[in-house]
C-alpha cells in the first residue's frame, strides 16, 4: 500500500505511447499528472505488475483504458485503502 505513489510506466506502455508521439518519462512523480492518483495497492500476483489504484482522470473509470489494473474513483480507493490491511 502506497500513499501518493510515483508511477513507473512499464516499457511496453512507454513504447505504446511513443508510437503516438507521446513520450512518457521513466517515472511520473506524485501529483496531478500521475495516473495512479493518491493511493495504490499492489496485488500479490506473480510479477507484481497489477494494481488497485486511484486516478487523476475519473472520466476514464469503466472505460477500456487500462493495462490490467483496477482503477477506482479517488474517494473509493481512499476508503478501500483505509479498510484493507497489508497481506489481505
Amino acid at each position: 500500500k502506497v500513499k501518493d505513489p510515483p508511477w513507473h510506466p512499464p516499457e511496453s506502455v512507454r513504447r505504446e505511447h511513443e508510437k503516438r508521439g507521446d513520450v512518457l518519462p521513466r517515472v511520473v512523480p506524485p501529483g496531478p499528472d500521475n495516473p495512479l492518483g493518491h493511493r495504490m495497492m499492489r496485488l500479490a500476483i506473480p510479477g507484481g505488475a497489477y494494481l488497485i489504484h486511484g486516478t487523476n482522470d475519473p472520466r476514464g473509470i469503466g472505460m477500456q483504458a487500462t493495462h490490467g489494473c483496477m482503477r477506482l474513483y479517488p474517494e473509493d480507493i481512499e476508503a478501500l485503502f483505509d479498510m484493507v490491511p497489508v497481506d489481505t
Side-chain angles (χ1 to χ4, degrees):
K1 291 172 52 172
V2 180
K3 288 184 179 180
D4 295 315
W7 180 44
H8 300 266
E11 285 301 315
S12 59
V13 173
R14 292 182 77 233
R15 283 192 302 271
E16 182 180 311
H17 278 255
E18 196 171 278
K19 288 179 186 176
R20 298 187 307 233
D22 178 25
V23 178
L24 292 176
R26 292 203 179 277
V27 178
V28 177
D33 296 326
N34 188 315
L36 297 181
H38 296 289
R39 302 287 187 276
M40 174 195 87
M41 297 186 293
R42 188 171 305 281
L43 298 176
I45 295 174
Y50 296 105
L51 311 170
I52 299 173
H53 62 81
T55 181
N56 64 339
D57 185 7
R59 296 171 300 166
I61 300 294
M63 307 297 282
Q64 288 184 323
T66 180
H67 291 87
C69 292
M70 290 173 260
R71 279 180 299 145
L72 302 178
Y73 288 108
E75 60 272 19
D76 293 337
I77 187 63
E78 288 185 22
L80 185 64
F81 190 92
D82 291 341
M83 285 190 280
V84 178
V86 173
D87 293 326
T88 295

